[in-house]
Amino acid sequence: MSQGHEEEVLARIAKGLVYTESEAAFQAPRRRTDQIFAYNHTPPGETERQRELLVEIFGTVGERTILLPPFHAGFGSNVHIGDDFFGNVNLTFVDDVDIRIGDGVMIAPSVTLTTTGHPVHPSRRVDFGRFSEPIVIEDKVWIGSNVVVLPGVRIGYGSVIGAGSVVSRDIPPMSVAVGTPCRVLRAITDEDLATRTATA
């Protein structure tokens, strides 16, 4: 495939248009499959080796990152993680394009962040036809267990996504959002500072 053709495919991907597996095959060297396998099989006590692998896998990774194995990623190199990140077991990144995660983000078990979907009509899914749009998770977001975040979604600062939700649209900052499809339930306020505290 010529460089011009690669640039044309990348331009279509950037616009969220449909592209195929064959057209995107030139991106294969950016997959970090071996490093992800190694991370998932590194003994828990080998924290320095785990850190080395995370730096090799992700596009960028901040300080004090905790990611409990196993995790999965299509590429790994399209994931960008800020400082003080906690990711629980079975986190899946479908990162055909960028997934950007801010500082202080917490993600519960079995969450999927997928930048990629497929056309509804079967004739457009030939050769694994698909489209991709970036995901942005802003600082201090908490995502509950078994959440699925779909292509093109931005989750705003400080928001909480309830367990089992399917997030198909942007969530504003400082919101509690739940459901399938995920909708804002209420704002997060100073009253939440007093929940689950000891009483006299």
Side-chain angles (χ1 to χ4, degrees):
M1 182 179 292
S2 70
Q3 182 175 350
H5 188 68
E6 290 179 6
E7 290 173 357
E8 186 271 329
V9 172
L10 290 171
R12 273 197 284 131
I13 292 171
K15 292 177 182 177
L17 301 176
V18 173
Y19 63 99
T20 68
E21 179 69 19
S22 297
E23 289 174 325
F26 67 90
Q27 296 188 87
R30 300 190 66 236
R31 295 185 186 272
R32 303 294 182 253
T33 309
D34 289 345
Q35 294 94 328
I36 293 166
F37 180 88
Y39 184 86
N40 287 333
H41 293 83
T42 300
E46 295 185 13
T47 54
E48 289 186 14
R49 178 59 179 151
Q50 287 179 325
R51 175 67 188 181
E52 290 171 0
L53 285 165
L54 288 181
V55 170
E56 291 177 23
I57 291 165
F58 293 132
T60 52
V61 59
E63 299 299 321
R64 298 171 299 281
T65 297
I66 299 172
L67 179 56
L68 301 184
F71 85 97
H72 312 279
F75 283 83
S77 58
N78 291 326
V79 176
H80 302 270
I81 295 175
D83 295 336
D84 301 305
F85 172 81
F86 178 84
N88 217 315
V89 296
N90 294 319
L91 176 53
T92 298
F93 302 99
V94 183
D95 62 321
D96 294 300
V97 295
D98 282 354
I99 296 174
R100 295 194 173 271
I101 299 172
D103 297 336
V105 171
M106 299 171 59
I107 300 182
S110 300
V111 167
T112 298
L113 308 176
T114 179
T115 65
T116 294
H118 300 275
V120 172
H121 199 288
S123 68
R124 301 203 70 200
R125 296 197 299 271
V126 174
D127 191 16
F128 307 106
R130 57 188 182 262
F131 59 87
S132 301
E133 298 179 35
I135 288 172
V136 177
I137 299 170
E138 296 183 2
D139 295 350
K140 300 191 183 303
V141 166
W142 170 30
I143 299 177
S145 299
N146 296 298
V147 166
V148 178
V149 179
L150 296 178
V153 165
R154 174 183 288 267
I155 300 176
Y157 173 92
S159 286
V160 175
I161 308 299
S165 297
V166 177
V167 189
S168 58
R169 64 187 74 178
D170 291 355
I171 303 298
M174 295 296 284
S175 302
V176 176
V178 300
T180 304
C182 190
R183 292 187 172 91
V184 173
L185 181 66
R186 65 177 180 85
I188 296 170
T189 69
D190 286 350
E191 291 181 8
D192 292 300
L193 292 170
T195 59
R196 295 185 182 265
T197 58
T199 58

